[in-house]
Amino acid sequence: MRSITPHLICAGAADAIEFYKKAFGAEEMMRMPAPDGRLMHAAVRIGDSMVMLVDEMPEWGALGPKALKGSPVTIHLMVDNVDEVFARAVAAGATAKMPVADMFWGDRYGKVVDPFGHEWSIATHVRDMTPEEMMAAGREAMAKGCAEATG
């Protein structure tokens, strides 16, 4: 485990595990079903990080993004080939929210929403920039009104 590990609430956590396997190459680490069959805990590994999952359990206040009508959280995924992973996620059932493009901060970057309502930003680092270069490029992008300015 890393210092911070996302713990996702999903309407259909078992289906989410299968989606994450197809879309992001996740490896299932474990699952613990509740007596009623819902998943009370599960974990997958994506790259070098764990993601924990649980089924929605309204009786415990555990609601996923769709029940909440959205999520204020974006999960950021660094990969070797953003174009390939983005396309694989969309083919697996994600919705493209922001097409992959070269961004002012030095990453090639795009966003998808998975079938369970979680937003993922996917990126590949393509060039190193100093903080000053990023600030200047960010100001220029904001001046143009680019959506990329806010990531």
Side-chain angles (χ1 to χ4, degrees), residues 114-139:
D114 73 27
F116 310 92
H118 297 283
E119 186 173 300
W120 295 76
S121 58
I122 308 168
T124 298
H125 187 68
V126 293
R127 73 178 184 281
D128 293 332
M129 299 175 69
T130 67
E132 295 78 18
E133 290 170 327
M134 271 191 252
M135 292 293 289
R139 281 191 297 273

Side-chain angles (χ1 to χ4, degrees), residues 8-14 34 36-40 53-69 116-118:
L8 306 180
I9 299 169
C10 299
D36 65 4
R38 293 181 295 179
L39 290 182
M40 56 189 270
L53 300 101
V54 63
D55 266 311
E56 283 190 327
M57 296 188 184
E59 67 275 21
W60 295 101
L63 299 171
K66 287 186 174 184
L68 296 171
K69 303 203 182 340
F116 310 92
H118 297 283

Side-chain angles (χ1 to χ4, degrees), residues 26-131:
E27 176 188 356
E28 184 174 338
M29 304 308 291
M30 64 89 63
R31 65 172 77 195
M32 185 184 320
D36 65 4
R38 293 181 295 179
L39 290 182
M40 56 189 270
H41 182 71
V44 298
R45 180 178 307 281
I46 300 174
D48 66 357
S49 301
M50 296 289 281
V51 176
M52 297 188 293
L53 300 101
V54 63
D55 266 311
E56 283 190 327
M57 296 188 184
E59 67 275 21
W60 295 101
L63 299 171
K66 287 186 174 184
L68 296 171
K69 303 203 182 340
S71 174
V73 175
T74 298
I75 304 154
H76 189 68
L77 179 61
M78 293 299 294
V79 298
D80 290 333
N81 186 329
V82 64
D83 294 279
E84 178 184 299
V85 174
F86 187 93
R88 193 169 65 228
V90 170
T95 302
K97 182 172 182 179
M98 180 179 175
V100 175
D102 291 334
M103 297 295 156
F104 72 83
W105 59 84
D107 287 352
R108 188 153 171 76
Y109 175 97
K111 287 184 182 180
V112 298
V113 178
D114 73 27
F116 310 92
H118 297 283
E119 186 173 300
W120 295 76
S121 58
I122 308 168
T124 298
H125 187 68
V126 293
R127 73 178 184 281
D128 293 332
M129 299 175 69
T130 67

